Amino acid sequence: MPESTAYANSHAAALPTATFTPAHLKFINAKLEKLSPEKIIEWAMMTLPGLIQTTAFGPTGLVILDMINRIHIDQQAAANVQPTPASSSASEEENDDEDEGVRQLKKSGYNTHRHPVPLVFIDTLYHFQETLDLAQRVQDHYNIPLKVYKPQDCETTEDFERLHGQRLWETDDVSYDYLVKVEPGRRSYQEFGAQAVISGRRRSQKGDRAHLDILEVESGTGLLKLNPLATWSFQQVWTYLRAYQVPFNVLLDQGYRSVGDWHSTKPASNPDDERSGRWEGKKKSECGLHVDYFKMRAEFQATQKKKQALLAAQQQAAGQVA
């Protein structure tokens, strides 16, 4: 039975879909293993429908962003096309020959002439200030739009804690990961009609990432995940950042290697394991975006039911006492 990349959402039906059998996927990965990351990204931009990039502006994601930008510039130069100024996005007229996917991107406020792969940042509301500053520097440096997604119905940390309580990552980390990462991520896929997502995961990050394929099909949803720098080491990433003067998180100069939320991130304690500064003391290596979506959603829903039952019991007990 073929695995389909047609992600179940309200926009995907308007886009073409890509379908791969396991044998086909194995064949493609064997070919991609021989290509440079730039060539992998270029292939994906030409081949995969509904392609977006999600990033928390980690080192690998920044390298990928820079590569996409360079590929886009080269393609424009080859076609003798000038980039569309930022100010023209609102007045840009729709072309009758454009496919529905491009129209959806324009409706979402994304200017495809300035950047060909939508860039999505999930703001958990608990990022380091240095990460938020970097997000702005990246937008200014590349003159590209950034679509930001936050937890549902929340604009600030105070909003989130009023709805879900303080230090939720300590009392219920499953619900925390679902609320601040998974749900906003899935919402972004729906808005963009995403069928393929570029991630910054690499095999050298070890843990669950040690045996990454370059192209994966997410179990259950059929969402394609592309890991173009899967074969690179941290040193290769760092060398690229320096060589091409790519903006990066200033925390990297303070011993950090993988930067997530401030409450669960420290400088790397093991120089041979760049993610050793994440979730110290916990048997955890992923935040939720790259685990089984339906399993995590089921765990979240089960946790919510238990909380509601407990609250109802407490309210009933309080009523009896009164």
Side-chain angles (χ1 to χ4, degrees):
M1 183 75 178
E3 291 181 279
S4 172
T5 65
Y7 181 71
N9 60 66
S10 58
H11 297 311
L15 297 171
T17 61
T19 302
F20 299 100
T21 65
H24 189 192
L25 195 63
K26 183 177 180 180
F27 174 81
I28 290 174
N29 272 305
K31 295 295 184 181
L32 295 178
E33 286 279 347
K34 300 175 182 178
L35 300 180
S36 67
E38 291 93 340
K39 289 299 182 182
I40 292 171
I41 294 169
E42 190 172 22
W43 169 83
M45 290 167 62
M46 294 187 298
T47 307
L48 301 181
L51 181 67
I52 70 172
Q53 180 187 2
T54 59
T55 184
F57 299 105
T60 315
L62 291 166
V63 170
I64 293 170
L65 171 60
D66 190 79
M67 288 180 175
I68 292 172
N69 188 63
R70 290 177 181 279
I71 291 168
H72 186 42
I73 291 172
D74 289 345
Q75 289 175 340
Q76 288 181 319
N80 195 27
V81 174
Q82 296 300 316
T84 301
S87 60
S88 69
S89 71
S91 60
E92 196 175 300
E93 295 182 4
E94 288 198 359
N95 188 324
D96 290 338
D97 294 330
E98 288 175 342
D99 65 29
E100 184 62 24
V102 173
R103 291 197 186 99
Q104 291 290 352
L105 294 184
K106 286 184 176 180
K107 287 178 181 178
S108 73
Y110 206 94
N111 187 330
T112 53
H113 288 269
R114 291 170 58 200
H115 193 67
V117 179
L119 184 64
V120 170
F121 173 52
I122 298 176
D123 183 357
T124 65
L125 304 175
Y126 291 92
H127 281 295
F128 287 93
Q129 184 59 47
E130 289 86 345
T131 302
L132 301 178
D133 293 342
L134 174 62
Q136 186 58 56
R137 281 169 36 221
V138 166
Q139 290 180 83
D140 295 341
H141 182 81
Y142 293 103
N143 187 29
I144 59 174
L146 176 66
K147 290 291 286 187
V148 179
Y149 289 83
K150 298 180 179 182
Q152 190 77 50
D153 301 322
C154 299
E155 278 298 317
T156 65
T157 304
E158 291 73 20
D159 291 339
F160 183 82
E161 293 182 351
R162 184 171 58 253
L163 289 174
H164 306 290
Q166 295 183 343
R167 307 184 76 82
L168 186 63
W169 60 89
E170 292 181 351
T171 61
D172 184 359
D173 66 334
V174 170
S175 292
Y176 178 81
D177 285 347
Y178 186 85
L179 290 166
V180 305
K181 285 286 187 72
V182 178
E183 188 283 325
R186 295 291 154 170
R187 198 168 358 115
S188 74
Y189 302 163
Q190 290 177 352
E191 180 171 328
F192 282 108
Q195 297 183 51
V197 179
I198 300 176
S199 89
R201 293 176 296 158
R202 292 180 285 105
R203 294 169 190 164
S204 64
Q205 292 171 323
K206 301 181 180 179
D208 294 339
R209 306 183 178 193
H211 303 289
L212 275 178
D213 284 330
I214 292 174
L215 184 65
E216 307 170 295
V217 177
E218 186 176 73
S219 177
T221 68
L223 183 74
L224 277 177
K225 290 188 176 180
L226 183 75
N227 310 300
L229 268 67
T231 63
W232 271 29
S233 67
F234 181 83
Q235 187 57 53
Q236 286 175 291
V237 171
W238 186 243
T239 298
Y240 185 102
L241 292 176
R242 292 294 195 183
Y244 289 99
Q245 299 183 328
V246 179
F248 62 84
N249 200 318
V250 297
L251 292 174
L252 295 183
D253 287 329
Q254 300 175 31
Y256 291 81
R257 289 294 177 266
S258 176
V259 181
D261 291 339
W262 61 260
H263 53 71
S264 58
T265 306
K266 293 182 178 181
S269 58
N270 180 356
D272 295 325
D273 182 0
E274 63 190 85
R275 287 174 68 81
S276 60
R278 302 289 296 276
W279 303 293
E280 188 177 54
K282 292 186 176 181
K283 294 181 179 179
K284 180 176 180 178
S285 61
E286 295 291 348
C287 64
L289 285 176
H290 301 296
V291 300
D292 187 308
Y293 167 65
F294 290 110
K295 180 180 178 181
M296 187 162 191
R297 187 179 68 174
E299 290 179 356
F300 169 73
Q301 291 172 338
T303 299
Q304 295 303 107
K305 287 181 179 179
K306 288 181 181 179
K307 288 182 178 180
Q308 291 170 0
L310 178 60
L311 179 61
Q314 291 173 340
Q315 291 174 339
Q316 183 179 13
Q320 291 175 348
V321 171

